Amino acid sequence: MTANDSPDPPTDTGARRRPGQLEAQVVTVLVEAGQPLTPGEVRERLDPSLALSYSTVVTTLTRLYEKDAVTRHRDGRAYRYGALDDAAALVARRMSHLLAAEPDHVPVLRRFVRSLNADDEQTLRDLLNRADER
């Protein structure tokens, strides 16, 4: 997925999501809204059929708040949540957290690079070369 792609809302709520997929979708909804939303508003934008449970959205928003990925402020009896970053930043933060859990980064990074397809590997190389130019 590129930075310009938006994850598609789930069409089959019985299907298993990839780890972090719902979080990324929620963050994308918040970014696109351009203003803080209630959990109900997030749910409506994520899944207009409302097959996704309200409590799942609240739990996801709460976890994002605890990870400092979204803001939260009280609005009457509910909270309104706003995006601090986009979904790509959320994934990058998760990748950094996973890497930090390993004391020896070299084997992890080596395996990660080997697992990339040719286009992604070239993109990573280009990004690293640009970082060296700074």
Side-chain angles (χ1 to χ4, degrees), residues 35-57:
Q35 64 184 18
L37 300 174
T38 65
E41 292 167 335
V42 171
R43 179 181 177 218
E44 289 170 9
R45 291 175 187 218
L46 258 181
D47 181 20
S49 72
L50 301 182
L52 183 64
S53 80
Y54 180 83
S55 64
T56 298
V57 175

Side-chain angles (χ1 to χ4, degrees), residues 11 96 115:
T11 54
S96 294
S115 73

Side-chain angles (χ1 to χ4, degrees), residues 90-109:
L90 184 66
V91 173
R93 186 179 305 136
R94 193 164 49 245
M95 290 170 63
S96 294
H97 179 74
L98 289 170
L99 183 61
E102 285 297 319
D104 188 358
H105 295 184
V106 174
V108 175
L109 291 170

